[in-house]
Amino acid sequence: MKKSLLALAVLGAFAGAAQAQSSVTIYGIVDTGVVYQSKVATGGGNTGSKFSLNSGVVQGSRIGFKGVEDLGGGLSAVFNLEAGFNNDTGGLQGSDAATSSNLFRRKSVVGLAGGFGTVLLGRQTDFADTISAYTSVADFGGWTGNVGHNLDRLEGTRTNNSISYTTNNLSGFTGNLIYGFGETAGKTSAGQSFGAGVKYDNGPLGLGLNYYQSKANGTAFSSDTALIPSSSTTASVNTLDGTAGNTAYKGWNLVGSYQFGPARVYANWSRVKQDLNTQANLTAVGVGPLDTVTNRTLARANKADVYEIGTAYSLSPSLKLLAAVEHTRAQFDGVSGKGKLTQYNIGTDYWLSKRTDLYAFLAYTKGTDMVNTGVSDSTGVDGNQAAVAVGIRHKF
């Protein structure tokens, strides 16, 4: 009897040790707000006001699972699965039929971490997502996306079939490489993508530099509104009909942030080139000559520069005042001159606890010689739009 009790105690000790060496965490965000927009396109060149209940005003609503297992010798196995959902409808998050049915469309990775850094395989965002902490994305989230961040991908590009390597922190520096396999037989470059980034953290100073490139997969034109033509990136892509393997998208991001006491100030610049957005390709898919403002959209820009400045001022540990300005200059094949988009934002963020906050945003967006993409919904024409959001976000 004593031997049996001893054996059970030993087994219990080993089980406890094994359990202590591995862990799984369930986490998530539920973010929902009431949004008002003026001059939303209603069809036929007309516009009207719109009230809506939007999920993910600041951050996309999500639920995730992440875990780590200690393999010994400083080596760990890691995984992360993250599903997005629309809190206003309860449905899976996705901008088109291809992604709305993907359970873990936000992230699905497994890999190893240790003294050498971290290697991850699966569907994951590139390093732009990491350095976005130095931009308006940290405070306004998706509220500032349509004027340029959705084009310069400051929240990262979800890349299918990818492998990434991230260094550990080296005297403030962290680097990253990512490669997405096109997985096309006989044409390695079709749908291929790759990127490289680095960030530097030193007390109040944060700097980041990132590059991302994707290549055409050769599929037909997609009518969705996303921007990056490559099957290896997020499935929400604008796959203009081009030769498989030709460069479709190239983007540079340079960002910086500095904390002056209670105030964080930041600025960034991005250069985007979409090489497949040519007159010939657009005509081939029935778009026609780009000689009217209604055809000048960011998705069809062959080159764009996106600029941003902003600040976040902490009146108290719980209350922040926010302000940011984004300005995009875009050019189009077959059109003289550049289109311009500018968005002015002010807001406040009040934390009721460490996990729950209330936010209120106000934005004014103006388009010149191109379509005004609006804060959430396009106006369909150039001109201006005002938008207001009031919402709640809970993290668990």
Side-chain angles (χ1 to χ4, degrees):
M1 182 66 177
K2 290 183 179 179
K3 290 183 178 179
S4 298
L5 290 174
L6 179 61
L8 287 173
V10 171
L11 287 173
F14 275 113
Q19 186 175 13
Q21 291 174 357
S22 63
S23 65
V24 176
T25 301
I26 300 175
Y27 67 94
I29 298 173
V30 184
D31 178 348
T32 308
V34 177
V35 177
Y36 163 80
Q37 300 172 88
S38 69
K39 298 185 180 180
V40 174
T42 60
N46 299 317
T47 62
S49 299
K50 178 181 177 181
F51 286 92
S52 57
L53 186 70
N54 291 5
S55 176
V57 175
V58 184
Q59 291 181 281
S61 297
R62 69 197 71 175
I63 184 169
F65 309 85
K66 59 183 177 182
V68 57
E69 180 187 15
D70 186 353
L71 302 176
L75 185 66
S76 297
V78 295
F79 78 90
N80 194 176
L81 304 173
E82 191 172 285
F85 61 91
N86 296 315
N87 185 52
D88 52 341
T89 64
L92 288 176
Q93 182 189 39
S95 60
D96 57 20
T99 54
S100 61
S101 61
N102 290 358
L103 178 57
F104 296 114
R105 66 172 295 273
R106 293 187 61 88
K107 186 175 291 186
S108 177
V109 294
V110 65
L112 295 172
F116 57 87
T118 302
V119 176
L120 298 175
L121 296 87
R123 176 177 168 90
Q124 57 196 305
T125 51
D126 71 297
F127 206 60
D129 182 43
T130 299
I131 66 174
S132 68
Y134 306 137
T135 74
S136 69
V137 174
D139 301 305
F140 287 100
W143 186 254
T144 57
N146 274 4
V147 173
H149 285 184
N150 292 345
L151 181 65
D152 64 24
R153 313 163 312 94
L154 270 182
E155 295 179 71
T157 299
R158 296 187 180 99
T159 306
N160 289 337
N161 312 311
S162 63
I163 179 170
S164 74
Y165 167 68
T166 305
T167 70
N168 291 328
N169 189 309
L170 304 171
S171 300
F173 288 94
T174 304
N176 172 271
L177 297 171
I178 187 170
Y179 177 79
F181 294 85
E183 297 191 344
T184 300
K187 187 115 182 168
T188 303
S189 60
Q192 180 189 68
S193 60
F194 53 88
V198 62
K199 71 168 184 172
Y200 176 69
D201 284 304
N202 184 5
L205 177 65
L207 301 172
L209 176 66
N210 190 66
Y211 176 76
Y212 189 87
Q213 178 174 317
S214 64
K215 298 189 176 183
N217 56 22
T219 59
F221 177 76
S222 170
S223 62
D224 60 68
T225 57
L227 306 168
I228 304 171
S230 168
S231 63
S232 63
T233 63
T234 172
S236 303
V237 292
N238 187 5
T239 48
L240 293 177
D241 196 8
T243 303
N246 283 3
T247 299
Y249 178 97
K250 292 184 285 187
W252 286 95
N253 312 113
L254 177 62
V255 305
S257 174
Y258 196 88
Q259 189 76 38
F260 291 95
R264 180 176 76 92
V265 295
Y266 54 87
N268 53 78
W269 164 76
S270 299
R271 164 68 59 85
V272 172
K273 293 190 68 177
Q274 298 185 106
D275 294 347
L276 291 186
N277 286 4
T278 64
Q279 181 71 34
N281 284 327
L282 290 169
T283 302
V285 297
V287 174
L290 291 177
D291 56 1
T292 65
V293 171
T294 56
N295 279 326
R296 301 186 193 185
T297 70
L298 275 180
R300 295 171 187 157
N302 67 357
K303 182 180 178 181
D305 289 289
V306 184
Y307 307 89
E308 177 182 73
I309 58 173
T311 185
Y313 187 89
S314 297
L315 287 176
S316 71
S318 301
L319 180 62
K320 280 185 181 179
L321 299 181
L322 312 171
V325 178
E326 293 80 35
H327 179 69
T328 297
R329 291 173 176 261
Q331 66 182 43
F332 309 87
D333 289 302
V335 177
S336 60
K338 294 184 179 181
K340 300 175 184 178
L341 279 173
T342 305
Q343 181 170 313
Y344 304 92
N345 311 275
I346 58 173
T348 183
D349 193 1
Y350 180 71
W351 289 88
L352 301 171
S353 69
K354 291 183 179 180
R355 298 188 299 174
T356 303
D357 65 317
L358 303 174
Y359 56 82
F361 299 151
L362 172 64
Y364 176 81
T365 308
K366 182 174 178 58
T368 304
D369 294 330
M370 67 179 297
V371 169
N372 186 339
T373 49
V375 173
S376 182
D377 296 281
S378 172
T379 68
V381 295
D382 60 356
N384 55 63
Q385 182 190 76
V388 180
V390 178
I392 182 171
R393 171 177 52 176
H394 177 75
K395 300 181 179 183
F396 60 91

